[in-house]
Amino acid sequence: MNRIKKGDQVIVTAGKDKGKKGDVVRVAGDKVVVSNINIIKRHTKPNPQANQPGGVVEREAPIHISNVMLFNPASGKGERVGVKVLEDGRKLRVFRSSGEAVDA
């Protein structure tokens, strides 16, 4: 079970955007794409078939999953996440510090 999922609010713990918060747009293996974090400039060629103009496009680049932490709104900071297995076999993500459920 992944500790970070699409739609989670995360805080960046390392890199040029350290301390910034954003929502997870996409999770791909051990990388995540966070909205308005790790912005890069991509030089693109025009593509008339796709009706796409050329030029410099700014977009989010993936960031390693170890460089983000799940944001806990109750404490106001990033916290570690654990997995708790319930009696019926379902898995539940919980914050390590307080033990409260993430998906409450």
Side-chain angles (χ1 to χ4, degrees):
M1 178 178 213
N2 274 348
R3 298 173 199 280
I4 294 178
K5 293 182 177 179
K6 178 181 174 181
D8 287 342
Q9 190 173 25
V10 294
I11 190 164
V12 180
T13 59
K16 65 178 181 179
D17 294 320
K18 181 177 180 177
K20 292 184 182 177
K21 285 186 283 189
D23 293 325
V24 175
V25 177
R26 188 171 67 244
V27 179
D30 59 350
K31 304 243 181 193
V32 291
V33 176
V34 184
S35 61
N36 297 323
I37 302 291
N38 199 19
I39 300 293
I40 59 166
K41 291 181 190 285
R42 175 96 175 135
H43 297 260
T44 58
K45 283 177 107 174
N47 187 351
Q49 280 90 14
N51 200 13
Q52 195 176 44
V56 181
V57 179
E58 287 190 349
R59 65 182 183 99
E60 298 104 355
I63 185 171
H64 199 270
I65 205 163
S66 67
N67 294 329
V68 295
M69 288 183 98
L70 203 61
F71 182 74
N72 187 354
S75 68
K77 51 188 176 179
E79 294 190 6
R80 297 188 301 155
V81 178
V83 177
K84 182 179 178 184
V85 180
L86 302 175
E87 295 86 26
D88 57 356
R90 290 185 296 136
K91 294 179 180 179
L92 183 68
R93 296 186 302 162
V94 295
F95 288 112
R96 289 275 179 103
S97 61
S98 61
E100 66 182 65
V102 173
D103 309 312

